Amino acid sequence: MGGMGGMGGMGGMGGMGGMGGGVPPDLDCGDLPVEAGALDPIDVDIFQLSGQSGAMVDAAGTCSGEDPGNESIVAFQAPAAGWYTFTTLHPDTDFDTVLYARTACIDDTAEAELSCNDDLAGVQSAMLFELEADQTIAVFVDAYGGEGGNWTLTALRADENAAPVLGEGAALTNPEGGFFVDIAGSDANGDLVGMRAEFLVDGEPTGEEPLEFGAVPNVFGQRDFTQNFSGGLPNILEVNGIRLVAIDSQGNESAAVDLDIAAQPVVDEGDL
């Protein structure tokens, strides 16, 4: 994904994290144009900023690739210590993004780069790392090999790098001999990336290889989620349950949740 990109001078952009006008003096950005201000809080520990890609500048993250792209540089000051998830996944983001963050804009060394990601959330990007209270960083919203477009950047803060938590769910057979699962859950960091499913016979694993399912991309950056997926049942007549585990971008796994697999209710045509 995207290479060196630029940023522009967009009018009317909000900012991040309560910094006021101008680039903080502890953030070395040289002559690079930087958007500064205060990212608007939209919920408890959730902040958001919208803008447009600017011109190309001589900057690239370690995951940006060779294709140049336009980018925006956003100064962010952490309002409190914690783990911060940044993502461009939003209905208003209309291009393929790359995200990376540095402790100094013009320092392209590996030590200065906090994180770099291309396409963790579909064609949108996301990253998670720890910040200290009042720590200032530069977040680069890069375009993958193009001019970019409109973007919305969301920052979500949590106290720790925590595993997802699964809640209530249901599993049903379907007429084609497969199964369907619907389950809700929560994730303080909003970085759910997948689910693992293992078939059960009377509460015990069948020994079949577990199934892996990618998370629905639009749940990234959301503390509460619902996942649904389907597949084929193994050729074991006694299968009557399924064990589910949720997995986040850091490899943290939820506690397992076992669901009974019930037959799909038959709908009487007279009830339609």
Side-chain angles (χ1 to χ4, degrees), residues 11 102 244:
R102 294 176 179 173
L244 304 175

Side-chain angles (χ1 to χ4, degrees), residues 111-202:
E111 292 76 16
E113 187 177 89
L114 295 168
S115 183
C116 186
N117 177 258
D118 176 16
D119 290 355
L120 184 58
V123 297
Q124 297 305 311
S125 300
M127 51 191 181
L128 170 68
F129 48 84
E130 190 174 14
L131 294 175
E132 299 175 357
D134 299 323
Q135 183 176 352
T136 304
I137 63 172
V139 179
F140 292 71
V141 182
D142 200 351
Y144 175 57
E147 295 182 355
N150 299 305
W151 52 263
T152 292
L153 179 66
T154 302
L156 185 153
R157 193 201 75 86
D159 288 333
E160 58 184 347
N161 180 9
V165 177
L166 289 176
E168 296 183 355
L172 301 172
T173 59
N174 62 36
E176 290 74 34
F179 71 95
F180 173 83
V181 167
D182 185 274
I183 189 164
S186 62
D187 183 8
N189 303 107
D191 66 329
L192 182 75
V193 295
M195 301 282 295
R196 186 171 65 244
E198 190 174 17
F199 293 110
L200 308 174
V201 175
D202 297 332

